[in-house]
Amino acid sequence: EDQVTQSPEALRLQEGESSSLNCSYTVSGLRGLFWYRQDPGKGPEFLFTLYSAGEEKEKERLKATLTKKESFLHITAPKPEDSATYLCAGLTQGGSEKLVFGKGTKLTVNP
Amino acid sequence: DAGITQSPRHKVTETGTPVTLRCHQTENHRYMYWYRQDPGHGLRLIHYSYGVKDTDKGEVSDGYSVSRSKTEDFLLTLESATSSQTSVYFCAIRGPLAGNEQFFGPGTRLTVL
């Protein structure tokens, strides 16, 4: 069964304190690994797609990396506005183009 | 902004009543999706559509039906709502980029009493 697991469930950081979020996956024939940000009461906002092990993508203070078993979202010198829930999803093999989502990591950055 | 709207944004209904949620897109995307999001679960796919009148089931389709008679509208119907269908429902479209990214609407919060 295709599965995506995110850890930790919740993370509290001080402003400027860098850290990483983990997304491990068992998705057969993974065709892409997606990261989203979700603010309370809103829909998920697309951040990154990674396709192959070793790939990295960056956006402001965020950098996403991918290995054959997991992905990391590194947050460098976070600010309070980075507080959100970060979701990871794997795109399954086949023509249905289905995303399998993890439960998310709730990040809180204190000033 | 992927040009997706959902209506209603909030709804309270009673067990046993039919409910229809609407997703509307303005950019002619072929693929549209309905998800539900519940505490302790990730986003779970209910149904999806790959064109007008072309739909298929997702992971949690029991108790739900969908219709797509126009490219821009994807309707989710709960034929007889139950309390277990209390959730936040998100519509998504597959965007124009080559990488199959999905873009989400603002969500509908449904409460079934």
Side-chain angles (χ1 to χ4, degrees):
Chain A
E1 181 186 347
D2 295 326
Q3 197 167 358
V4 173
T5 303
Q6 293 188 245
S7 61
E9 290 185 12
L11 180 63
R12 285 186 173 273
L13 299 174
Q14 289 297 123
E15 185 172 2
E17 178 187 3
S18 302
S19 188
S20 296
L21 313 182
N22 177 263
C23 170
S24 63
Y25 60 89
T26 52
V27 175
S28 58
L30 183 81
R31 297 179 57 216
L33 191 291
F34 299 79
W35 282 98
Y36 288 84
R37 169 193 171 124
Q38 187 174 24
D39 294 300
K42 299 199 173 178
E45 175 190 345
F46 170 73
L47 292 174
F48 304 109
T49 310
L50 302 165
Y51 293 104
S52 55
E55 188 175 1
E56 298 183 353
K57 288 195 176 171
E58 288 188 64
K59 180 180 180 180
E60 296 182 353
R61 294 175 293 282
L62 302 177
K63 183 169 79 172
T65 62
L66 182 66
T67 73
K68 289 186 178 180
K69 294 183 178 180
E70 56 192 355
S71 178
F72 293 93
L73 185 65
H74 307 277
I75 303 176
T76 302
K79 299 182 177 182
E81 54 261 43
D82 295 321
S83 297
T85 295
Y86 291 86
L87 306 175
C88 166
L91 181 64
T92 62
Q93 193 173 33
S96 61
E97 313 297 338
K98 295 179 185 177
L99 286 179
V100 177
F101 279 86
K103 297 178 182 179
T105 293
K106 183 177 180 181
L107 174 66
T108 304
V109 182
N110 296 314
Chain B
D1 184 1
I4 306 168
T5 57
Q6 293 185 233
S7 59
R9 295 293 316 279
H10 302 271
K11 186 170 182 67
V12 180
T13 191
E14 294 191 351
T15 297
T17 59
V19 176
T20 295
L21 309 183
R22 179 182 183 237
C23 177
H24 179 78
Q25 55 134 335
T26 59
E27 298 181 2
N28 212 34
H29 297 293
R30 179 182 172 195
Y31 283 82
M32 299 183 75
Y33 306 81
W34 276 108
Y35 291 87
R36 61 178 288 173
Q37 187 174 42
D38 305 287
H41 295 272
L43 282 156
R44 293 180 291 174
L45 182 65
I46 305 171
H47 281 280
Y48 66 101
S49 170
Y50 46 96
V52 173
K53 297 187 180 178
D54 291 323
T55 64
D56 204 349
K57 296 179 179 180
E59 176 189 1
V60 289
S61 59
D62 287 348
Y64 301 95
S65 62
V66 290
S67 65
R68 192 163 177 207
S69 58
K70 300 185 290 185
T71 298
E72 58 266 35
D73 288 326
F74 191 30
L75 304 181
L76 177 70
T77 296
L78 291 65
E79 302 289 348
S80 178
T82 67
S83 58
S84 64
Q85 294 175 312
T86 293
S87 188
V88 181
Y89 292 86
F90 289 101
C91 174
I93 56 93
R94 198 204 309 176
L97 302 175
N100 302 307
E101 289 84 2
Q102 292 183 19
F103 296 88
F104 286 80
T108 293
R109 181 172 294 277
L110 176 67
T111 302
V112 183
L113 301 176

